[in-house]
Amino acid sequence: EGSLLTKKEAEDIALERAGLTRQQVSLLQSEYDFEEGRHTWEVEFRQGFREYTARIDAETGEILEWERE
């Protein structure tokens, strides 16, 4: 069994997917969860008027859900 992603690692994955840096976003929030037998991180942030939400598998780093509004 591998170790789980840290909060920072999960945030980095979401930011990379969005093509943004920490300096470019605001209201960066992350929440760890265990649901449906899966460890996940939910990462949310804003850039301007856009809002991003990512749900990331904390074991594999795979992005399970991705929203940009």
Side-chain angles (χ1 to χ4, degrees):
E1 186 174 318
S3 60
L4 300 177
L5 290 177
T6 65
K7 176 180 173 178
K8 182 183 182 306
E9 289 169 330
E11 290 172 352
D12 288 344
I13 288 168
L15 289 165
E16 185 179 329
R17 168 76 185 260
L20 299 168
T21 65
R22 285 177 186 270
Q23 292 73 33
Q24 291 174 297
V25 304
S26 60
L27 303 175
L28 179 60
Q29 297 180 317
S30 302
E31 191 174 293
Y32 172 80
D33 201 5
F34 182 76
E35 59 182 39
E36 299 163 17
R38 195 170 222 168
H39 299 274
T40 62
W41 280 102
E42 184 160 308
V43 182
E44 297 179 2
F45 53 91
R46 296 182 71 92
Q47 192 228 4
F49 295 108
R50 283 217 167 110
E51 193 170 299
Y52 295 83
T53 305
R55 197 161 75 88
I56 297 169
D57 186 307
E59 292 183 61
T60 66
E62 177 190 355
I63 295 175
L64 305 170
E65 290 174 26
W66 178 255
E67 278 182 45
R68 188 178 88 177
E69 295 174 6

